[in-house]
Amino acid sequence: MRSTSRFSALLAAGLLACVSNAFTRNPRWTIGMSQCNLGEPWRVQMNADIKKSAEAYPELRVIFKDAQNDNLRQCAHVEEFARQKVNLIIISPKEAAPLAKPVADAFRSGIPVIVLDRRVMGNDYTCFIGADNKKIGRAAGKWIANQLKGKGNIVELKGLMTSTPGQDRNSGFREGIAGSGVSVIFEADMKWLEPNARIEMESALARFPNITLVYAHNDPGAHGAYLAARAAGREKQITFVGIDGLPQEGQMYVRQGVLSASFEYPTGGREAIAVALDILNGKKVQKEIVLPSRVFTYENVGKGGEWLKE
Ligand code: FRU
């Protein structure tokens, strides 16, 4: 065959494949995925995990919506999904109180709802999937008290305290350090955001000449604090600990020596699709699915971290 005709034959075959694909790919179910924001790498990863898992099932189509960190916009997205009568909703909500009503309304109208990572108030949803933030906070507290041998001044940079992971990472941590002798000398709500963490840390640095360690409720927060300390020439005197432990973020900071530890907070994206399929196929699912978590340190990050016990 001459090369031009071989090329046209290939082109025709390719076109045919595309066309037949478009006709045969006829998803049976539509899932609406409401993401509270895509500002942090962790949420981009969650969506990527959902997309990748869903792609293995031709019967699924997922529509993604990004609320850009705005409760009202996220409420509108959930209401829109309910009006469209999607077959199932996955939501990773911004805050527990404002999102409770649209989630409850969708659930009561007969649409199954999977709540991922942050919780909503009440019980009107099908299934909650997430790691145990209280346990992670407690493990971080114990790890820190142990590292500091029960002595040191801590800055706690908290996640949004109207979201449940922020509340649990705070209360768990306080339990973990209780009775150890380390003390929290400065605390602030950085609302999960790196630029806020940097600003709060600048205030802490200005007020306190002796800061031993920063415990931030997520890795962007810990990194923001590190940048503030580095700008003040004090990063070498301070230890930084964060939560999330993504390979491309927390684990990388640990390898670089920027963070001393990062506690894993799995996105749950893969599990959400598995549970969604069970629900759509009429199987009964548990109301609450707790995901395991690891701690990554310089010593163990190359070996896959260490699972949290308890
Ligand atoms: C991203 C994030 C993560 C954190 C999670 C808690 O928005 O702040 O860093 O672990 O949300 O819901």
Side-chain angles (χ1 to χ4, degrees):
M1 214 189 275
R2 280 208 346 260
S3 69
T4 44
S5 56
R6 195 163 45 225
F7 177 71
S8 350
L10 275 175
L11 195 70
L15 272 176
L16 202 69
C18 286
V19 171
S20 74
N21 226 352
F23 283 108
T24 51
R25 200 184 144 80
N26 184 15
R28 182 168 165 212
W29 291 307
T30 299
I31 297 178
M33 163 59 194
S34 163
Q35 181 59 271
C36 63
N37 80 80
L38 284 173
E40 284 102 24
W42 190 85
R43 295 203 174 270
V44 175
Q45 188 62 49
M46 184 199 278
N47 276 16
D49 291 344
I50 290 176
K51 186 164 177 280
K52 184 159 174 259
S53 299
E55 269 165 9
Y57 300 95
E59 64 269 43
L60 292 184
R61 172 194 8 236
V62 185
I63 306 172
F64 290 89
K65 285 191 192 289
D66 166 19
Q68 297 168 32
N69 232 359
D70 178 339
N71 281 316
L72 285 180
R73 188 175 289 138
Q74 190 164 28
C75 289
H77 286 165
V78 176
E79 285 158 10
E80 213 174 306
F81 283 146
R83 260 198 317 275
Q84 275 174 261
K85 298 203 182 344
V86 296
N87 302 97
L88 184 142
I89 293 174
I90 301 175
I91 176 170
S92 192
K94 178 175 178 189
E95 281 173 271
L99 270 306
K101 185 172 182 324
V103 164
D105 288 347
F107 175 73
R108 289 203 203 115
S109 80
I111 300 175
V113 183
I114 298 175
V115 180
L116 248 191
D117 144 54
R118 300 184 189 169
R119 291 174 188 273
V120 289
M121 285 169 83
N123 277 316
D124 288 328
Y125 55 85
T126 314
C127 171
F128 171 80
I129 305 176
D132 183 339
N133 282 297
K134 194 142 181 168
K135 177 170 162 180
I136 293 173
R138 202 159 41 230
K142 288 195 175 137
W143 189 90
I144 287 168
N146 195 31
Q147 283 290 306
L148 301 185
K149 302 196 172 46
K151 223 170 108 239
N153 296 330
I154 297 180
V155 166
E156 181 178 3
L157 296 176
K158 299 187 277 194
L160 186 66
M161 289 304 278
T162 42
S163 69
T164 51
Q167 296 159 2
D168 293 345
R169 291 176 195 185
N170 167 257
S171 61
F173 174 69
R174 298 305 174 112
E175 280 177 23
I177 60 167
S180 72
V182 302
S183 49
V184 177
I185 54 166
F186 180 95
E187 57 186 293
D189 190 338
M190 49 84 180
K191 303 188 169 68
W192 303 118
L193 301 176
E194 173 159 341
N196 292 349
R198 191 174 172 156
I199 292 167
E200 296 297 351
M201 185 65 186
E202 281 165 5
S203 312
L205 288 161
R207 279 180 53 195
F208 298 100
N210 290 317
I211 297 171
T212 325
L213 184 144
V214 174
Y215 163 59
H217 288 190
N218 66 358
D219 290 332
H223 188 244
Y226 169 82
L227 293 180
R230 199 176 65 182
R234 288 170 60 183
E235 84 281 9
K236 293 207 169 61
Q237 306 146 23
I238 303 173
T239 298
F240 299 87
V241 173
I243 296 174
D244 277 348
L246 287 179
Q248 68 274 31
E249 194 185 37
Q251 289 183 49
M252 185 188 77
Y253 293 148
V254 167
R255 285 175 202 275
Q256 292 171 342
V258 168
L259 302 188
S260 293
S262 175
F263 288 76
E264 180 189 32
Y265 189 55
T267 69
R270 193 167 42 87
E271 292 80 1
I273 290 300
V275 171
L277 276 165
D278 279 351
I279 296 171
L280 291 166
N281 281 308
K283 293 199 193 129
K284 199 157 166 46
V285 298
Q286 289 171 320
K287 182 96 186 177
E288 178 106 7
I289 296 176
V290 183
L291 305 175
S293 165
R294 290 172 283 182
V295 56
F296 297 103
T297 61
Y298 192 74
E299 291 72 36
N300 73 23
V301 67
K303 300 179 221 138
E306 189 187 329
W307 293 101
L308 301 192
K309 300 176 204 74
E310 213 181 289

